[in-house]
Amino acid sequence: MEAKTSSRKNPGIITIERHILHEQESFPDATGALTQILYSLALAGKLIASRTTRAGLADILGSAGEENIQGEEVQKLDIYANRTIVQLNNHTGRLAVMASEEEKDIIPIPDRHPTGKYVLLFDPLDGSSNIDYNVSVGTIFAIYRRKSASGRGTLEDVLQKGADVVAGGYMVYGSSTMLVYSTGNGVNGFTLDPNIGEFLLSHENIRLPEPGKYYSANQGYTKYWTEGIQRYTRWLQGEEGAPRSLSLRYIGSMVSDIHRTLLSGGVFYYPSDTRDPKKPHGKLRLLYEAVPMAYIIEQAGGYGSTGRGSILDVQPTDLHQRTPLFLGNKDLVEKAEEFIAEYDD
Ligand code: AHM
Ligand code: MG
């Protein structure tokens, strides 16, 4: 029988709590604060998962802004996910400040609560427009050390390069709920066992398989793409002198598209296009989507690029700035950079 890959082997029962505590041991100065933030994100994931699996029932039980049968106000799922993460983290004394894709400004820690040394950035429910079609959605997060010395955190604490991420990952609410995270020591995946309410280690030390299997992009926008991106896409399809062709998969829900890319190998890209000349930077947000996912992909042996250099080297200047994004196996992402350099620059 063929041996299973390391990312699939069953290592016995390891809960996420045990795993995070074990990771903490490799940081001798650790106070446990990072461990607790990760643990509260896992709890947020369980709460959000229990709502997303009931998403279709909103029509029966009441829609956003209305009261449901029990007289409770029904929240839109992305608002619920945002509040859940904020409320689980704003009183703990572990964070200096937060920022969310759902909120225009930074999220300060309320004056009545103490502050801490970390900064949390998150997209509470990415792909939420897909919920109506029963497509998997996800939560994305990245944690940094604060830059300011003390007190309430500032914008400067939030606008940090991806190269300074201390921990990052995502939860995907799919046929099962998974949490995938890294603290800079490789990538591990946990599957929620709904019977016991625990995330259990199911994908140990995930590495992108070689060669990558699928390419993933919204080809409906091909006519808006630059020549370099159009030629790159044809190269992935086996033209332009390519040695082989890849299959196409595109869900349109970033967490799911990248989760598949992580496990199967391949490349996901959302390039800039000419649809809106005022926004030549693509759709995806640097801080909440691109950086955390690039961090995970790189921790698993891949590469994350803007098409012109590493995503993790970009110095953010705006909370909600967008970026072109190429993520996946190194050779496939570097090939995109080559096409862009040759035909677009
Ligand atoms: P959102 O943050 O509004 O949910 O949008 C982000 C989503 C990603 O999950 C996905 O990769 C992308 O939008 C899909 O965009 P498109 O429909 O243009 O292909
Ligand atoms: Mg999003």
Side-chain angles (χ1 to χ4, degrees):
M1 212 169 105
E2 202 181 314
K4 288 183 178 172
T5 65
S6 63
S7 63
R8 285 283 177 189
K9 78 175 180 221
N10 180 355
I13 294 180
I14 297 178
T15 64
I16 193 155
E17 188 174 19
R18 180 173 155 200
H19 194 269
I20 296 172
L21 280 169
H22 180 72
E23 292 278 292
Q24 183 187 314
E25 285 163 15
S26 49
F27 301 93
D29 299 333
T31 59
L34 181 63
T35 299
Q36 288 300 327
I37 298 167
L38 288 167
Y39 201 60
S40 73
L41 287 167
L43 175 58
K46 290 184 210 173
L47 291 165
I48 297 166
S50 79
R51 285 285 177 111
T52 50
T53 50
R54 292 165 51 81
L57 296 172
D59 285 346
I60 308 171
L61 303 177
S63 59
E66 290 173 6
E67 288 192 349
N68 67 15
I69 259 167
Q70 288 91 29
E72 301 157 334
E73 191 181 326
V74 181
Q75 292 167 345
K76 273 184 71 184
L77 277 170
D78 40 11
I79 298 171
Y80 171 80
N82 192 58
R83 283 194 193 146
T84 300
I85 296 173
V86 171
Q87 285 170 2
L88 285 175
N89 287 287
N90 69 0
H91 61 279
T92 59
R94 296 176 197 121
L95 292 174
V97 63
M98 289 180 267
S100 161
E101 199 204 89
E102 281 290 321
E103 303 210 17
K104 192 166 152 276
D105 299 315
I106 56 172
I107 307 169
I109 302 300
D111 286 341
R112 61 184 184 282
H113 297 310
T115 54
K117 63 180 175 184
Y118 290 105
V119 176
L120 172 63
L121 274 68
F122 57 95
D123 181 351
L125 205 60
D126 183 67
S128 54
S129 62
N130 286 306
I131 284 178
D132 288 349
Y133 313 117
N134 210 347
V135 168
S136 304
V137 291
T139 298
I140 310 171
F141 60 90
I143 300 166
Y144 299 81
R145 273 189 201 87
R146 70 181 302 163
K147 291 226 149 167
S148 54
S150 60
R152 311 286 118 189
T154 61
L155 185 60
E156 187 207 0
D157 291 316
V158 170
L159 297 181
Q160 296 197 43
K161 279 188 191 176
D164 293 329
V165 166
V166 175
Y170 61 85
M171 272 85 80
V172 58
Y173 312 111
S175 47
S176 58
T177 295
M178 276 194 72
L179 187 153
V180 174
Y181 88 102
S182 175
T183 52
N185 191 21
V187 179
N188 290 281
F190 299 77
T191 303
L192 182 64
D193 182 335
N195 290 329
I196 59 170
E198 279 281 6
F199 280 107
L200 304 179
L201 181 60
S202 53
H203 296 62
E204 192 181 14
N205 189 22
I206 301 171
R207 307 289 298 171
L208 268 88
E210 298 278 357
K213 200 165 174 187
Y214 302 116
Y215 78 98
S216 185
N218 189 339
Q219 277 187 227
Y221 303 139
T222 305
K223 70 173 176 180
Y224 303 117
W225 288 346
T226 58
E227 184 180 355
I229 303 297
Q230 293 195 17
R231 282 183 184 260
Y232 174 57
T233 305
R234 289 203 291 274
W235 181 84
L236 291 165
Q237 294 164 340
E239 296 172 39
E240 301 282 335
R244 66 185 181 111
S245 60
L246 282 76
S247 262
L248 167 67
R249 294 283 188 280
Y250 187 70
I251 298 166
S253 191
M254 187 201 191
V255 178
S256 314
D257 277 317
I258 294 193
H259 184 62
R260 183 199 54 249
T261 304
L262 185 69
L263 297 184
S264 68
V267 60
F268 167 89
Y269 54 109
Y270 203 116
S272 57
D273 61 47
T274 57
R275 270 174 299 165
D276 182 355
K278 283 189 226 129
K279 287 187 203 152
H281 304 297
K283 176 179 184 185
L284 300 175
R285 319 278 173 121
L286 177 68
L287 289 175
Y288 315 106
E289 295 166 336
V291 161
M293 289 310 206
Y295 174 74
I296 287 292
I297 288 283
E298 294 207 0
Q299 281 293 320
Y303 176 40
S305 172
T306 63
R308 291 179 169 85
S310 169
I311 282 279
L312 300 184
D313 286 340
V314 177
Q315 172 61 53
T317 53
D318 184 278
L319 266 185
H320 292 283
Q321 85 192 62
R322 297 169 195 265
T323 179
L325 179 64
F326 299 79
L327 287 184
N329 291 69
K330 221 170 174 182
D331 58 327
L332 298 176
V333 174
E334 282 173 351
K335 201 72 192 175
E337 290 181 338
E338 279 173 35
F339 273 98
I340 290 168
E342 187 168 353
Y343 294 101
D344 297 348
D345 287 339

PDB file of all heavy atoms in Angstrom, residues 101 123 125-127 140 284-285 288-289, ligand 2:
ATOM      1  N   GLU A 101     -11.579  43.510   8.798  1.00  0.00           N
ATOM      2  CA  GLU A 101     -12.031  43.902   7.464  1.00  0.00           C
ATOM      3  C   GLU A 101     -13.413  44.542   7.529  1.00  0.00           C
ATOM      4  O   GLU A 101     -13.788  45.337   6.679  1.00  0.00           O
ATOM      5  CB  GLU A 101     -12.060  42.690   6.526  1.00  0.00           C
ATOM      6  CG  GLU A 101     -12.063  43.106   5.069  1.00  0.00           C
ATOM      7  CD  GLU A 101     -12.654  42.064   4.156  1.00  0.00           C
ATOM      8  OE1 GLU A 101     -13.879  42.081   3.932  1.00  0.00           O
ATOM      9  OE2 GLU A 101     -11.886  41.249   3.647  1.00  0.00           O
ATOM     10  N   ASP A 123     -10.217  38.962   9.234  1.00  0.00           N
ATOM     11  CA  ASP A 123     -11.381  39.059   8.345  1.00  0.00           C
ATOM     12  C   ASP A 123     -12.370  38.070   8.947  1.00  0.00           C
ATOM     13  O   ASP A 123     -12.178  36.853   8.866  1.00  0.00           O
ATOM     14  CB  ASP A 123     -10.986  38.652   6.921  1.00  0.00           C
ATOM     15  CG  ASP A 123     -12.163  38.772   5.957  1.00  0.00           C
ATOM     16  OD1 ASP A 123     -13.296  38.992   6.429  1.00  0.00           O
ATOM     17  OD2 ASP A 123     -11.945  38.638   4.737  1.00  0.00           O
ATOM     18  N   LEU A 125     -15.470  36.962   8.381  1.00  0.00           N
ATOM     19  CA  LEU A 125     -16.195  35.963   7.573  1.00  0.00           C
ATOM     20  C   LEU A 125     -15.948  36.263   6.101  1.00  0.00           C
ATOM     21  O   LEU A 125     -16.733  36.945   5.449  1.00  0.00           O
ATOM     22  CB  LEU A 125     -17.692  35.999   7.892  1.00  0.00           C
ATOM     23  CG  LEU A 125     -18.424  34.688   7.616  1.00  0.00           C
ATOM     24  CD1 LEU A 125     -17.857  33.546   8.447  1.00  0.00           C
ATOM     25  CD2 LEU A 125     -19.908  34.825   7.886  1.00  0.00           C
ATOM     26  N   ASP A 126     -14.833  35.744   5.614  1.00  0.00           N
ATOM     27  CA  ASP A 126     -14.486  35.999   4.218  1.00  0.00           C
ATOM     28  C   ASP A 126     -15.356  35.150   3.299  1.00  0.00           C
ATOM     29  O   ASP A 126     -15.638  33.989   3.595  1.00  0.00           O
ATOM     30  CB  ASP A 126     -13.015  35.671   3.956  1.00  0.00           C
ATOM     31  CG  ASP A 126     -12.648  36.018   2.532  1.00  0.00           C
ATOM     32  OD1 ASP A 126     -12.649  37.210   2.207  1.00  0.00           O
ATOM     33  OD2 ASP A 126     -12.410  35.101   1.745  1.00  0.00           O
ATOM     34  N   GLY A 127     -15.759  35.780   2.182  1.00  0.00           N
ATOM     35  CA  GLY A 127     -16.590  35.062   1.209  1.00  0.00           C
ATOM     36  C   GLY A 127     -18.046  35.020   1.618  1.00  0.00           C
ATOM     37  O   GLY A 127     -18.808  34.170   1.135  1.00  0.00           O
ATOM     38  N   ILE A 140     -10.133  34.627   8.753  1.00  0.00           N
ATOM     39  CA  ILE A 140      -8.676  34.713   8.544  1.00  0.00           C
ATOM     40  C   ILE A 140      -8.091  35.607   9.635  1.00  0.00           C
ATOM     41  O   ILE A 140      -8.706  36.613  10.000  1.00  0.00           O
ATOM     42  CB  ILE A 140      -8.369  35.328   7.156  1.00  0.00           C
ATOM     43  CG1 ILE A 140      -9.162  34.626   6.053  1.00  0.00           C
ATOM     44  CG2 ILE A 140      -6.875  35.284   6.857  1.00  0.00           C
ATOM     45  CD1 ILE A 140      -9.086  35.327   4.691  1.00  0.00           C
ATOM     46  N   LEU A 284      -8.420  41.848  -3.304  1.00  0.00           N
ATOM     47  CA  LEU A 284      -8.188  41.306  -1.968  1.00  0.00           C
ATOM     48  C   LEU A 284      -7.400  42.269  -1.082  1.00  0.00           C
ATOM     49  O   LEU A 284      -6.566  43.037  -1.561  1.00  0.00           O
ATOM     50  CB  LEU A 284      -7.491  39.946  -2.088  1.00  0.00           C
ATOM     51  CG  LEU A 284      -8.341  38.931  -2.878  1.00  0.00           C
ATOM     52  CD1 LEU A 284      -7.575  37.636  -3.093  1.00  0.00           C
ATOM     53  CD2 LEU A 284      -9.671  38.661  -2.183  1.00  0.00           C
ATOM     54  N   ARG A 285      -7.705  42.232   0.189  1.00  0.00           N
ATOM     55  CA  ARG A 285      -7.109  43.193   1.136  1.00  0.00           C
ATOM     56  C   ARG A 285      -5.773  42.666   1.644  1.00  0.00           C
ATOM     57  O   ARG A 285      -5.671  41.507   2.058  1.00  0.00           O
ATOM     58  CB  ARG A 285      -8.019  43.417   2.337  1.00  0.00           C
ATOM     59  CG  ARG A 285      -9.484  43.521   2.025  1.00  0.00           C
ATOM     60  CD  ARG A 285      -9.882  44.876   1.561  1.00  0.00           C
ATOM     61  NE  ARG A 285     -11.271  44.820   1.136  1.00  0.00           N
ATOM     62  CZ  ARG A 285     -12.243  45.551   1.655  1.00  0.00           C
ATOM     63  NH1 ARG A 285     -11.991  46.403   2.592  1.00  0.00           N
ATOM     64  NH2 ARG A 285     -13.467  45.436   1.200  1.00  0.00           N
ATOM     65  N   TYR A 288      -5.882  41.773   5.790  1.00  0.00           N
ATOM     66  CA  TYR A 288      -6.802  40.775   6.352  1.00  0.00           C
ATOM     67  C   TYR A 288      -6.849  39.487   5.544  1.00  0.00           C
ATOM     68  O   TYR A 288      -7.300  38.460   6.046  1.00  0.00           O
ATOM     69  CB  TYR A 288      -8.215  41.357   6.450  1.00  0.00           C
ATOM     70  CG  TYR A 288      -8.225  42.746   7.019  1.00  0.00           C
ATOM     71  CD1 TYR A 288      -8.457  43.857   6.207  1.00  0.00           C
ATOM     72  CD2 TYR A 288      -7.949  42.952   8.365  1.00  0.00           C
ATOM     73  CE1 TYR A 288      -8.443  45.130   6.728  1.00  0.00           C
ATOM     74  CE2 TYR A 288      -7.930  44.233   8.891  1.00  0.00           C
ATOM     75  CZ  TYR A 288      -8.168  45.317   8.067  1.00  0.00           C
ATOM     76  OH  TYR A 288      -8.138  46.584   8.586  1.00  0.00           O
ATOM     77  N   GLU A 289      -6.456  39.551   4.284  1.00  0.00           N
ATOM     78  CA  GLU A 289      -6.573  38.369   3.419  1.00  0.00           C
ATOM     79  C   GLU A 289      -5.209  37.926   2.886  1.00  0.00           C
ATOM     80  O   GLU A 289      -4.796  36.777   3.095  1.00  0.00           O
ATOM     81  CB  GLU A 289      -7.535  38.677   2.261  1.00  0.00           C
ATOM     82  CG  GLU A 289      -8.944  38.925   2.769  1.00  0.00           C
ATOM     83  CD  GLU A 289      -9.900  39.548   1.762  1.00  0.00           C
ATOM     84  OE1 GLU A 289      -9.472  40.222   0.807  1.00  0.00           O
ATOM     85  OE2 GLU A 289     -11.111  39.385   1.945  1.00  0.00           O
TER      86      GLU A 289
HETATM   87 MG    MG B   2     -12.833  39.197   2.934  1.00  0.00          MG
END
